[in-house]
Each structure stands twice: as C-alpha cells, then as structure tokens.
Amino acid sequence: MEIKTTKKSQILVENYFKMLSNMDREKTNAYEKSDILNEFYKDPDIVRIVNRMVESVFSTTSTAVDQWENIKIPELDGLTPIEYYDTLNSMESLVELVSFFMKNNNSVPLPSNLKERIKKTDASSVSFLHNALADIKPVAGDDLSKQQKAILTIVDILLLPEFIDDLICLIEKLDFESHKKIIRGVTLTLTDIGEPALDKLVQVVEDTRSYPDESKRALYVISLAKIASERKSERIYRLLKDYFRKCEIKYKVSASGLLALYGDRRSVTMIREYVDRNKEHISKEEYKEFRRNIVSLGGIPGDLDYSYIDKTDLEGKMKE
C-alpha cells in the first residue's frame, strides 16, 4: 500500500527524534558519570546517590515527551503536536505519520497523545485497516515496509476484536525465518486483545495439530495459554496437554511453563513422568525450569531432585 508523504508529518517526527536524541545524550552522560563516580568513591552512600541521579534522568523522559507535545512548532503553522494530530482526519494520514516513526525500519515509542488520537477511530478507519492488513503480501527474505509496520502498530494500539481474523491470516502468510519479530509481535497483539481472541485461537491450535511450522504453532499456544489462564475449560486443558506431549524436545521446557501458567494441577503428574523418563537427556538447567513449573503447580519434585542436584545443593534446597 502506497501512501503519499506529508512534509508536515515528516517535520513533526524529525523534531521528535531531535528531542529524544537530546534525552539520550543526557542518559549517556548520566551513565558515564555514575561509572566514574562509583569507581572513584567506592562508597555505598555515594553509589546510592549517583544511581538515584541516573534514575531521575530516566524518569524525566516521559515528562519531556508530554511537554514536547504541547510546544508550538513554527514549521507546523504554529501548531503543537497535539493540535497537529487533530488535523489528521483520515486513518490513511495517521498511518503515514506513524510510518515516519519507524526509524531505520524499527519502531520507536509513540507519544501518548498520538496513541489517544489513534484510538478515536470510526467505522471507515476500521474498514481501511482491514483492507490494509489484507494487502500485506510479504516475500520471504524481505522486511515489511515502514507503512506496513505502521499499520500493525496502529492495530496493536486499537486492540479491536474485528482484527483477529486479519492478524491470524497475516501470520499464516509470513515466513517465520524471515519475519520472526513481526510474527511474535502479531501474536502478542492477539494476546493483548484477550478473551475475544480465545475461541479463534482454540480453533487454530486444534487445526494445526499436524502443523508443519512448529515455531508458529508454539506462539499460538503461548497466546492461548496466557488468555485461557483466566477462563479455563477441559477443551483448552486437553490442547495444552496434547501440545506438551507432542511438541519437539526443544519446546518441552517452555510447554511445561505454559501448563504452569494455565494452572491446572493435573499437569504435575505428566511433567514429572516426562522428566523421570528422560533424566539422561535433560540438563541441570533444564531441570531447574521443569522443577520450578512443578512447584508452581503445587507439586513436589521428590526423588527427581536426586538425579540433578548434588548433595550440597540439595541441603540448601531443604533449608529453603
């Protein structure tokens, strides 16, 4: 989708980046000063004072952005950024503006009042975004354009259930190896949409049991488990249990974590039995994760500890 650029929007964003650049220099200076002073004095009280100085610089960033949004910019005919946002009467012009925030094709945090302006959307804007999402036709090995990333950013701000099908269709079109970051971002948007996405995610996870792309399916299951922890059902528990049993070995630890997140205590037996059967192939670090998930579900590791924790470690655990 091609969008005509607007000079004023470019000027606004350049002004924004300049303000952020000044803030970044202050942060860098604060870090450098803290390193020098901490090294020189080596005094706990001085260290605390210096660290508070660093924290203070960082806490002023959001305040500085809020102030910037209320400063009149001559190149915008004397409008403040907030006033300029209100002159953008179409979703197309908002997409254009947001696309300029995709510096070097990576997004930067949008000003809070711009997000609020985006949320004042209407039916025609939703229709525009539906079509824009459908028009994204990625090619393996190619990154998405700044305009396409801007569309996804706006959809992530709106979090409307109307976009659930569009987002899942987009995930299916994307090549995982070429677009890992985008796919993860889209599944996070589905998670943030929350309960309205649950039934569709259940359907997708069921339909992808023999899915060739395990990486995509894993992200679907993660999104499902996060949302479903607040709305449990036997159907969802069976899906998570089935995923744990059938997923690739490299996903077993994270799959046990999803069972723990979901929070059904029946999962304890299944996780313990898997660990017990595969003791020879599970590293000590992996076992720590399995153990943490068993305990979070209310289970007891019991004799599993003896296979992974030496005597000194075990005595320490017993005292915890």
Side-chain angles (χ1 to χ4, degrees), residues 123-217:
S124 64
S125 297
V126 172
S127 177
F128 174 86
L129 291 169
H130 275 308
N131 294 331
L133 286 168
D135 285 344
I136 297 177
K137 295 180 174 60
V139 177
D142 291 345
D143 198 3
L144 299 189
S145 70
K146 292 180 180 180
Q147 286 82 7
Q148 290 169 334
K149 289 182 177 181
I151 290 161
L152 292 177
T153 297
I154 289 172
V155 169
D156 186 61
I157 291 168
L158 295 174
L159 295 177
L160 296 175
E162 291 95 316
F163 297 124
I164 293 169
D165 288 340
D166 297 321
L167 294 172
I168 290 174
C169 285
L170 177 60
I171 291 171
E172 293 306 305
K173 287 193 290 186
L174 292 167
D175 172 70
F176 187 81
E177 289 306 314
S178 300
H179 303 107
K180 289 179 187 176
K181 187 176 179 181
I182 296 295
I183 292 172
R184 288 183 180 125
V186 173
T187 53
L188 283 174
T189 300
L190 287 169
T191 304
D192 289 340
I193 289 174
E195 193 168 319
L198 188 57
D199 290 340
K200 185 65 179 181
L201 283 167
V202 168
Q203 180 187 330
V204 170
V205 173
E206 285 180 335
D207 291 346
T208 58
R209 283 176 173 168
S210 56
Y211 205 50
D213 195 330
E214 184 81 21
S215 300
K216 281 186 187 178
R217 186 164 194 260

Side-chain angles (χ1 to χ4, degrees), residues 7 20 42 53 55 129 188 194 201 229 238 242 311:
K7 186 64 178 174
L20 287 183
K42 295 192 180 293
M53 177 190 73
E55 290 169 8
L129 291 169
L188 283 174
L201 283 167
S229 61
R238 284 198 303 270
D242 182 68
K311 187 174 180 182

Side-chain angles (χ1 to χ4, degrees), residues 13-29:
V13 176
E14 287 168 4
N15 195 289
Y16 180 69
F17 282 138
K18 183 178 178 181
M19 182 273 299
L20 287 183
S21 176
N22 292 335
M23 293 298 301
D24 286 341
R25 277 198 293 274
E26 287 187 36
K27 291 176 187 177
T28 301
N29 289 339

Side-chain angles (χ1 to χ4, degrees), residues 196 199 264 304 310:
D199 290 340
D264 193 310
L304 291 176
D310 62 35

